[in-house]
Amino acid sequence: MNCHKQIWADSPYLEPVRASIKTGKPLEWIRVHDLPDFSYFNHSIHVNKGVGCTTCHGPIDQMPVVSQASSLQMEWCLDCHRRPENFVRPKEKVFDMEWRQRNSTEAEVAEGVNLKKKYHIQEPNVLTSCSTCHR
């Protein structure tokens, strides 16, 4: 209930979550974002580098039922890895649902470039080696 203590805390959609907490019985999870078994993804490295929830999951704070907002296909991932300055945000904004991708002004891109340096985000040739995601 971490996020849902603040967002839709009393929603009937969340009754199974509240019941799970009360009873200790695990939720029967329906995976919305299901990557192929041959691909590897680690949320923590992305969050720690300033990639926010909405970057991949879309405006989840506005979804009564979570749905897949992005294709999650390889080219979609590579697009972000090739131009992280357009997607990275200050770490304190990772969970900010109102933050939107920047790339429209020189100042926004410059901020992204600065964050890329500050967070030591590697150059694309390192990030796009096959074994990074295919293990």
Side-chain angles (χ1 to χ4, degrees):
M1 288 292 289
N2 291 339
C3 292
H4 292 297
K5 287 180 182 177
Q6 299 170 12
I7 301 169
W8 295 348
D10 298 323
S11 170
Y13 289 114
L14 295 175
E15 185 51 41
V17 177
R18 289 190 290 273
S20 172
I21 291 169
K22 288 176 188 170
T23 65
K25 182 180 175 191
L27 285 170
E28 290 185 34
W29 203 255
I30 300 171
R31 190 175 277 288
V32 174
H33 297 85
D34 192 16
L35 293 175
D37 290 340
F38 57 79
S39 61
Y40 172 79
F41 179 83
N42 184 332
H43 269 101
S44 66
I45 189 68
H46 290 82
V47 170
N48 289 325
K49 296 290 184 176
V51 178
C53 304
T54 58
T55 302
C56 303
H57 297 288
I60 56 174
D61 60 322
Q62 299 170 19
M63 295 179 189
V65 176
V66 176
S67 61
Q68 188 171 320
S70 304
S71 74
L72 305 182
Q73 292 180 343
M74 188 171 124
E75 189 61 31
W76 179 83
C77 296
L78 289 174
D79 195 36
C80 186
H81 280 259
R82 289 175 179 145
R83 299 176 303 113
E85 61 275 5
N86 290 337
F87 303 93
V88 68
R89 62 179 84 178
K91 290 181 185 179
E92 64 272 10
K93 299 285 188 178
V94 166
F95 301 110
D96 181 347
M97 296 296 134
E98 294 181 21
W99 194 94
R100 295 293 178 245
Q101 174 183 332
R102 75 169 127 329
N103 62 7
S104 56
T105 68
E106 285 185 39
E108 289 173 336
V109 173
E111 179 189 9
V113 169
N114 289 335
L115 289 172
K116 180 180 164 184
K117 289 177 189 172
K118 180 179 178 180
Y119 299 155
H120 306 286
I121 296 174
Q122 298 175 4
E123 291 301 314
N125 61 338
V126 175
L127 291 174
T128 55
S129 68
C130 298
S131 64
T132 301
C133 303
H134 298 280
R135 297 183 178 185

